[in-house]
Amino acid sequence: MKTIILNIWRNKEFFFIPLLVFAVSCQKIVSIDLNAAAPHIVIEGNLTDQLDTASVVISKTGTYFVSSVNVPPVSHALVTITDDLGNSDTLKEIRSGNYQSATLKGVTGRRYTLKVVSESEVYSAISYMPKKVTIDSLYVKPVHERDGDIGYDIYVLFKDPQESGNYYRIRPRVNSLPPDSIQGARTFLYNDKLANGNEITERISIRIRSGERRTVNIGDTITVDLLSVDQATYEFYKTLQAIRSSDRSPTSLSPANPNTNLSNGSLGYFAAYSVDSKKIILQ
Amino acid sequence: MKINKLGFLLLILSMIIPQRHSVAADKFTISGIIKNKENGEALIGAIISTKGVKPIGAVSNAYGFYSLTLLEGTYIVQAQFLGYKTQMDTILVDRNQKMNIELTPEPIKVREVVITGERTNINVSSTEMSASKLQIHDLQSIPVLLGEKDILKTIQLLPGIKSAGEGNTGFYARGGRTDQNLIVLDEAPVYNSSHALGFLSVFNSDAIKDVTVITGGIPAEYGGRLSSVLDIKTDDGNMKEFGMKGGIGLISSRLTVQGPIVKDEGSFIVSMRRTYADVFLKLSSDTTINKTSIYFYDLNMKANYALGEKDRVFLSGYFGRDNFNYPNVFGFNWGNATATARWNHIYGDKFFANTSFIYSNYEYTNTLGTGTSQFTINSGIQDINGKMDFEYFMNSENTLLFGLNSIYHTFIPGTLTSASSSPSNAQSVEHKYALENAAYLSHEIEVGTGLKINYGLRLAAFTQLGPGTAYTYDVNGDVIDSTVHSSGKNIKTFTSLEPRISANISVDEESSIKVSFTRTAQFLHLLSNSTTTNPSDLWVPSSNNVKPQYADQIALGYFRNFEENEFETSVELYYKNMQNIIDYKNGADLQLNPNVESLLSYGKGWSYGVEFLVKKRFGQFTGWVGYTWSKTEEQFDKINNGNPFPARQDRTHDISIVAMYDYDSQWKFSATWVYYTGNAVTFPSGNYFIDGRLVPYYTERNGYRMPAYHRLDLSATYSFSEKSNLNFSIYNAYDRWNPYSIAFRQNINDPTKTEAVQTTIFPIIPSLTYNFNF
């Protein structure tokens, strides 16, 4: 059996060790005048192989530096998801800008087309739902961070299929909180470019913070979702990661909006993916 | 086709060369080598001229050789070089004769206002423009970060050359990108000129003899990069006696040993430098940190030996390496190795030839994982390079330069190796091969009095060679076809014909107008995921998918000296147009990717500006003030809706002030102040939510500016004797927090709010260096 720990390469902070050695860097908050761009449509489409809800959230961009309140939802859009066999579902707007279908469940190996008609513009995207890859096991190792925080490394073991071109997103959840709610957690992405067909051990790190910023506690249940995504979804998250401040290196190139599979200039993504989940209790 | 053009050129050469036999009967040539009397080092760019109403002169070449053709008669001939005593001899020219000249270095005397030595107006009278020769004295006096003398930082103080970032050795020449600079060390191209991720250059200043940087009017003998030439020549070693010099600095120590092999016939020099930051890491109680190794070293070696009067051979080598290992996590090491073997031969009195064989290698290795799961990724570029250069000093009005160059490149885009127990699969991106050939000819002619023209032509041919697979891609970057080529197969050839012209119109003894036109081509392109120089940056050759880059530049300058050439001033205007500059797809994965070529897109760029320089060359107080106003834009179909945008290297204003003051024989002071407009950067103009987290929304590329950068550096050197000194310097003396980056992040207490955080990497930094010379 072969195992591998691969995410080190992507931990950009290691590149800054030389900087720390050579210099004492300092930071300050500065005020910068930013232009207010005209509001632009953002579509987030998710379809899984589970009978949780297929969901499409449509909104418009807001002004930078102003709190989230001004990111306006887009209502009265016509939202449909069609598979390559011609089955079509229309999603209902259950909350402002939030379109769902309780009956739509994706099937792996199918290609899905999302179509959104809003304000007489048409946006569409195609996403392929890859075969499900299951998590074999999880284990946890505590890590003492240098700043005094305690962290947990969660190791996710799974077997990459023989065919190449598998892309994954690994998503931790705490207790019953929604996914992506762990503050400061990175977007964990993996592809099989270097280790196609092998047993994979991918490490994800979650920090326990002291005081008010505590994000996880001993006794919490951590659920890890292994999302098998297509290449376009992987690239969306990879390019998203490149501009997210928590993941960004100060020397990275001119930032750009993430690569999207949506047409007509829309921001966001439409991702069809299969999900496998496993739970572990922090001890 | 290519061979025919080369053959044609050689034919022209063979028609010109025989002219040397038709020298008029009453003209004779004196020739020889100009050297430093104390150590026998050949002096580059020393001037030998006759005294009189209409002086006739010549300049020594890269090996100290000069050739001066005069009418029969008696002359007072003087040899001059800045920092050396001018030497005068009365000679009778009645036959061709050898005359080697040795000049004595002149110590800078206390309170002596006028230093004799080169007081010529060569900057006014030559056809060379947009070029600077750095004096080693300047290099040694100018304060630098952490006390590490660094030519790549010092040249950034010249107009037209701009720093690629705080403390960075990368530079932009007249709106060009950092990979558009041809950096040659003893004729060997250096592919990664930085240590420590760009903060220090690989050039150990103890071993350097001469530095020339050219940003416009690039002579025909240089080619292969669009924007500039940085030609670095190392010391030959002391011909007279053994010596040792060195220094102990905050982060590195240096030691140079040199001496004669046979007195006045051959010498050697070995120069070493190593950092020791890792020694301090060992003191850490943290078991990970104290096992971390982080260091680099450089080793320069050179030997030369004269085989009689007409021949000299040189062997030189450079070897440098960075090591950066973080135990059980990763190891990263990279470095350059170059070797040059040269043979100088003098045919008769007027014809100087040099033949070089050069090897260059840049390589990096990245080790990841631990124990049985360890694997390494290796990447690099390797050159085998042959070069022949001829200089024909026909007479005092005509000089002819011509030569041939052929480089065989091997590109190693990436190879992953792992033990059989390792989980990662061994894999390799196919090596790529290319042959880069060039032939050039240039002729400098003095047309009567007052007009000097240097015109030349460079013919370059770049051939992508097999073995290898040539892919064809569709518009989406997917492979639609591939052809496997056998070894040595010509897959794709590009040729470029590059005219290089510069002219000097003399206004009077102290002023002139110069114009130049330069066309350059670049066949190798550096792809980088970062704004700084990274060891993992990837060089890719032009190929069936990758177009060569081209640039055309015109420059116009007015040069004027004052106070008997004590002050040099110049104004230069330039316009540069660049084609096929490269950008690549957002999120492009450059590592171990066989289809990197499919991720590239091509655009155009242009840059124009005006550069002012006032320089004081002699006296206790020396230095210069440079100011550049410029504009650089780029345009790509798929970026910024196809509209032009300011390039990252666009700097509206750029000011450098350099002042050096020799107070007495013990104390020397210097100061530099730099100011430049902040980089053009992309900031968000809105935001939105993805998965419940805020994401910045970008509209225009490089639509914003970083705050302006400015900094004062100070330095004081105290000499205990001629043999040792102590240098104290302060980098960023008024502790300006210049922005290295501005990042936007969610406020930690209120995640719905976003704030801009500016990072400064070098606040005020003092340093101390001890230098010795035995």
Side-chain angles (χ1 to χ4, degrees):
Chain A
M1 176 181 132
K2 292 173 161 190
T3 51
I4 187 167
I5 297 173
L6 266 170
N7 70 342
I8 291 115
W9 174 250
R10 279 167 270 141
N11 283 3
K12 291 219 176 83
E13 51 269 30
F14 286 116
F15 284 90
F16 291 91
I17 292 173
L19 301 190
L20 297 176
V21 171
F22 288 134
V24 200
S25 65
C26 30
Q27 291 194 326
K28 66 177 178 190
I29 308 288
V30 290
S31 89
I32 295 205
D33 282 334
L34 294 178
N35 305 333
H40 195 89
I41 192 160
V42 182
I43 300 171
E44 278 185 87
N46 284 285
L47 175 68
T48 74
D49 64 335
Q50 320 271 306
L51 198 61
D52 55 34
T53 346
S55 138
V56 174
V57 178
I58 309 175
S59 61
K60 290 218 168 156
T61 58
T63 314
Y64 213 79
F65 287 131
V66 181
S67 77
S68 56
V69 194
N70 85 332
V71 175
V74 175
S75 290
H76 315 301
L78 176 65
V79 181
T80 53
I81 294 177
T82 312
D83 70 12
D84 45 10
L85 300 177
N87 305 311
S88 184
D89 273 77
T90 301
L91 281 71
K92 290 192 193 70
E93 186 170 11
I94 54 125
R95 271 197 314 280
S96 190
N98 205 321
Y99 302 80
Q100 296 188 346
S101 164
T103 53
L104 179 58
K105 180 183 165 193
V107 178
T108 61
R110 286 196 194 164
R111 203 168 291 279
Y112 290 88
T113 304
L114 168 73
K115 193 172 152 198
V116 171
V117 183
S118 171
E119 294 168 357
S120 62
E121 291 282 331
V122 182
Y123 308 92
S124 66
I126 298 171
S127 185
Y128 172 76
M129 186 176 289
K131 207 164 78 180
K132 186 188 300 219
V133 175
T134 52
I135 298 173
D136 294 330
S137 61
L138 299 177
Y139 67 92
V140 176
K141 267 188 192 171
V143 181
H144 293 271
E145 305 278 357
R146 231 160 259 130
D147 59 7
D149 283 1
I150 301 170
Y152 281 100
D153 280 348
I154 298 168
Y155 292 82
V156 186
L157 280 71
F158 58 95
K159 169 99 174 62
D160 183 67
Q162 269 317 312
E163 63 273 18
S164 64
N166 293 94
Y167 300 90
Y168 306 93
R169 182 172 170 229
I170 302 169
R171 188 173 68 182
R173 286 185 279 157
V174 183
N175 300 329
S176 55
L177 291 170
D180 302 301
S181 62
I182 302 175
Q183 245 190 63
R186 295 157 37 89
T187 304
F188 300 100
L189 297 171
Y190 181 76
N191 75 55
D192 64 356
K193 187 171 108 176
L194 299 184
N196 180 40
N198 296 343
E199 298 280 348
I200 311 298
T201 303
E202 180 69 356
R203 187 186 66 167
I204 60 179
S205 300
I206 298 173
R207 271 194 190 190
I208 290 185
R209 294 192 187 273
S210 49
E212 286 175 6
R213 302 210 311 268
R214 181 180 289 269
T215 50
V216 286
N217 290 303
I218 287 172
D220 280 348
T221 302
I222 304 289
T223 307
V224 174
D225 299 330
L226 181 65
L227 278 50
S228 294
V229 300
D230 69 356
Q231 188 179 357
T233 304
Y234 176 85
E235 283 196 10
F236 170 80
Y237 278 104
K238 196 176 152 226
T239 48
L240 175 71
Q241 194 175 52
I243 56 169
R244 267 207 176 133
S245 57
S246 55
D247 303 322
R248 216 188 127 201
S249 134
T251 58
S252 58
L253 291 172
S254 295
N257 296 320
N259 297 348
T260 181
N261 54 359
L262 287 155
S263 67
N264 202 8
S266 173
L267 295 163
Y269 65 93
F270 169 55
Y273 50 86
S274 53
V275 186
D276 187 57
S277 306
K278 264 210 161 45
K279 289 179 169 47
I280 194 163
I281 295 169
L282 291 184
Q283 286 168 338
Chain B
M1 177 67 188
K2 176 191 76 206
I3 299 300
N4 286 345
K5 279 186 187 167
L6 284 178
F8 179 66
L9 207 69
L10 285 171
L11 188 70
I12 293 176
L13 291 181
S14 64
M15 292 185 328
I16 297 165
I17 295 159
Q19 288 187 14
R20 72 194 181 99
H21 299 299
S22 61
V23 168
D26 55 352
K27 275 190 175 175
F28 298 101
T29 302
I30 52 172
S31 63
I33 308 281
I34 305 179
K35 294 177 190 172
N36 177 332
K37 189 174 186 133
E38 281 182 5
N39 59 20
E41 284 278 349
L43 298 177
I44 303 170
I47 296 159
I48 177 162
S49 60
T50 59
K51 284 206 76 132
V53 196
K54 198 173 166 280
I56 297 166
V59 180
S60 66
N61 74 3
Y63 300 91
F65 176 78
Y66 76 93
S67 170
L68 184 63
T69 300
L70 299 167
L71 286 168
E72 185 169 0
T74 304
Y75 295 88
I76 299 170
V77 170
Q78 62 178 9
Q80 297 168 291
F81 194 57
L82 186 65
Y84 289 76
K85 274 188 192 133
T86 297
Q87 189 170 313
M88 269 188 262
D89 291 293
T90 305
I91 56 165
L92 173 66
V93 178
D94 59 353
R95 63 196 158 86
N96 292 335
Q97 55 187 288
K98 276 270 166 313
M99 188 171 84
N100 289 340
I101 298 167
E102 293 192 327
L103 297 180
T104 311
E106 188 158 50
I108 294 156
K109 296 232 176 68
V110 190
R111 297 192 202 290
E112 187 181 42
V113 180
V114 177
I115 293 175
T116 54
E118 182 209 12
R119 299 211 61 168
T120 60
N121 63 347
I122 189 146
N123 65 308
V124 167
S125 64
S126 74
T127 54
E128 201 174 67
M129 67 184 299
S130 323
S132 290
K133 236 177 99 146
L134 268 189
Q135 267 124 26
I136 298 306
H137 170 260
D138 297 347
L139 189 62
Q140 279 160 357
S141 311
I142 291 170
V144 279
L145 178 63
L146 298 161
E148 291 291 312
K149 311 278 172 230
D150 207 320
I151 46 163
L152 291 188
K153 302 241 180 82
T154 306
I155 61 163
Q156 293 172 5
L157 297 167
L158 299 166
I161 297 172
K162 297 165 189 181
S163 160
E166 171 84 90
N168 202 300
T169 54
F171 62 94
Y172 304 130
R174 286 192 171 168
R177 298 176 172 189
T178 53
D179 71 328
Q180 295 175 350
N181 305 315
L182 176 68
I183 300 178
V184 288
L185 178 69
D186 283 340
E187 299 188 49
V190 176
Y191 285 98
N192 185 332
S193 58
S194 69
H195 280 308
L197 307 181
F199 292 109
L200 295 163
S201 84
V202 299
F203 307 111
N204 174 358
S205 61
D206 274 1
I208 290 165
K209 170 150 116 181
D210 186 83
V211 178
T212 306
V213 56
I214 308 166
T215 58
I218 297 172
E221 63 258 40
Y222 297 108
R225 299 290 185 280
L226 285 198
S227 290
S228 80
V229 174
L230 176 65
D231 190 346
I232 299 162
K233 297 185 175 81
T234 59
D235 275 327
D236 295 330
N238 197 320
M239 289 273 200
K240 312 274 181 183
E241 56 186 24
F242 285 92
M244 235 168 50
K245 63 177 176 179
I248 297 163
L250 214 56
I251 62 162
S252 83
S253 279
R254 297 163 277 124
L255 182 69
T256 299
V257 180
Q258 55 184 325
I261 296 171
V262 173
K263 199 177 174 211
D264 289 325
E265 281 179 31
S267 62
F268 75 93
I269 179 166
V270 178
S271 190
M272 292 158 275
R273 173 169 72 155
R274 191 194 189 281
T275 60
Y276 34 66
D278 49 328
V279 175
F280 301 110
L281 296 178
K282 296 224 177 348
L283 303 174
S284 169
S285 58
D286 185 307
T287 53
T288 311
I289 290 181
N290 68 21
K291 286 196 192 103
T292 299
S293 74
I294 170 166
Y295 65 90
F296 68 77
Y297 61 86
D298 292 306
L299 181 62
N300 292 79
M301 289 167 295
K302 195 170 181 182
N304 74 91
Y305 193 77
L307 306 165
E309 273 283 290
K310 292 183 178 297
D311 298 275
R312 182 174 288 276
V313 287
F314 296 79
L315 285 173
S316 55
Y318 164 79
F319 190 76
R321 205 129 191 105
D322 277 65
N323 258 289
F324 180 21
N325 289 296
Y326 196 70
N328 300 327
V329 181
F330 73 93
F332 212 13
N333 75 81
W334 68 95
N336 295 283
T338 71
T340 310
R342 281 179 285 184
W343 167 48
N344 287 176
H345 182 74
I346 300 162
Y347 298 90
D349 310 296
K350 298 179 167 186
F351 203 3
F352 184 92
N354 177 60
T355 307
S356 303
F357 291 99
I358 305 153
Y359 168 82
S360 302
N361 181 52
Y362 171 72
E363 182 258 342
Y364 88 86
T365 306
N366 184 198
T367 306
L368 290 166
T370 49
T372 55
S373 70
Q374 201 168 64
F375 65 97
T376 59
I377 294 172
N378 192 278
S379 168
I381 175 170
Q382 210 177 74
D383 281 359
I384 294 167
N385 184 341
K387 205 163 168 275
M388 287 181 87
D389 299 283
F390 301 93
E391 291 168 74
Y392 177 34
F393 304 91
M394 287 163 79
N395 49 47
S396 58
E397 286 90 35
N398 291 279
T399 307
L400 212 56
L401 267 58
F402 53 95
L404 296 165
N405 182 207
S406 185
I407 307 176
Y408 182 72
H409 299 283
T410 305
F411 301 86
I412 303 147
T415 303
L416 187 152
T417 42
S418 59
S420 59
S421 59
S422 168
S424 44
N425 303 324
Q427 52 193 289
S428 181
V429 178
E430 256 181 15
H431 291 193
K432 288 185 176 147
Y433 305 92
L435 191 62
E436 187 170 4
N437 289 312
Y440 70 88
L441 169 69
S442 72
H443 179 199
E444 178 155 302
I445 179 166
E446 217 176 316
V447 187
T449 43
L451 180 63
K452 229 186 254 180
I453 300 171
N454 187 328
Y455 64 94
L457 195 63
R458 184 177 178 90
L459 172 68
F462 187 89
T463 305
Q464 179 195 7
L465 289 173
T469 312
Y471 295 97
T472 313
Y473 301 98
D474 63 13
V475 283
N476 299 320
D478 295 321
V479 178
I480 50 171
D481 192 22
S482 69
T483 316
V484 177
H485 295 278
S486 57
S487 179
K489 174 86 170 38
N490 178 339
I491 301 171
K492 176 84 187 172
T493 296
F494 298 95
T495 53
S496 100
L497 204 54
E498 304 165 24
R500 312 283 177 89
I501 303 156
S502 54
N504 179 320
I505 304 138
S506 171
V507 177
D508 56 38
E509 273 293 290
E510 291 202 313
S511 59
S512 65
I513 292 164
K514 300 184 194 182
V515 286
S516 71
F517 173 80
T518 307
R519 167 162 258 246
T520 45
Q522 179 161 347
F523 304 101
L524 308 183
H525 322 280
L526 187 67
L527 306 185
S528 173
N529 265 332
S530 165
T531 56
T532 58
T533 327
N534 260 353
S536 55
D537 294 348
L538 190 68
W539 284 96
V540 290
S542 293
S543 70
N544 60 318
N545 293 304
V546 182
K547 301 171 189 172
Q549 305 178 60
Y550 297 102
D552 293 306
Q553 193 198 145
I554 48 169
L556 174 69
Y558 176 70
F559 292 73
R560 160 107 218 226
N561 289 2
F562 294 94
E563 302 287 326
E564 291 179 55
N565 303 319
E566 183 174 340
F567 291 92
E568 289 180 2
T569 64
S570 63
V571 185
E572 289 195 40
L573 287 155
Y574 75 90
Y575 180 86
K576 181 155 75 177
N577 193 30
M578 293 167 274
Q579 296 167 50
N580 299 338
I581 55 171
I582 291 179
D583 200 275
Y584 34 94
K585 206 178 142 191
N586 186 25
D589 183 3
L590 303 178
Q591 197 170 44
L592 288 171
N593 184 348
N595 296 308
V596 159
E597 293 182 349
S598 71
L599 305 171
L600 310 179
S601 60
Y602 306 90
K604 50 189 179 181
W606 53 91
S607 177
Y608 50 90
V610 55
E611 299 162 358
F612 298 88
L613 179 69
V614 177
K615 193 170 184 180
K616 183 175 183 298
R617 301 179 61 218
F618 314 117
Q620 263 182 297
F621 183 78
T622 56
W624 68 85
V625 178
Y627 168 72
T628 306
W629 179 92
S630 66
K631 194 169 177 67
T632 305
E633 290 185 306
E634 293 179 353
Q635 187 174 24
F636 288 85
D637 286 344
K638 286 190 183 132
I639 300 171
N640 211 39
N641 300 320
N643 296 319
F645 58 89
R648 192 179 177 82
Q649 60 272 25
D650 179 48
R651 300 255 169 84
T652 314
H653 305 285
D654 188 286
I655 303 170
S656 319
I657 300 174
V658 177
M660 289 167 278
Y661 184 66
D662 291 334
Y663 178 73
D664 59 19
S665 60
Q666 258 129 36
W667 284 101
K668 269 184 210 169
F669 302 95
S670 66
T672 58
W673 186 74
V674 292
Y675 172 96
Y676 57 77
T677 307
N679 280 345
V681 286
T682 306
F683 285 152
S685 297
N687 61 8
Y688 56 101
F689 278 102
I690 290 289
D691 297 339
R693 290 168 65 188
L694 276 175
V695 174
Y697 169 44
Y698 297 103
T699 48
E700 59 281 88
R701 169 77 73 108
N702 291 349
Y704 295 88
R705 288 278 166 183
M706 296 286 261
Y709 181 101
H710 52 92
R711 192 188 80 227
L712 175 73
D713 301 338
L714 300 170
S715 156
T717 306
Y718 179 79
S719 299
F720 299 101
S721 65
E722 284 200 359
K723 299 220 181 289
S724 68
N725 67 53
L726 195 63
N727 173 276
F728 176 69
S729 63
I730 302 173
Y731 183 86
N732 196 1
Y734 55 81
D735 196 24
R736 155 96 178 163
W737 284 24
N738 284 304
Y740 181 68
S741 68
I742 289 180
F744 296 88
R745 68 175 183 207
Q746 282 165 264
N747 182 298
I748 230 151
N749 299 313
D750 179 4
T752 62
K753 288 238 165 67
T754 310
E755 59 198 16
V757 184
Q758 176 191 308
T759 303
T760 297
I761 53 167
F762 296 121
I764 182 166
I765 297 178
S767 59
L768 201 61
T769 310
Y770 174 75
N771 298 299
F772 60 88
N773 188 352
F774 297 114

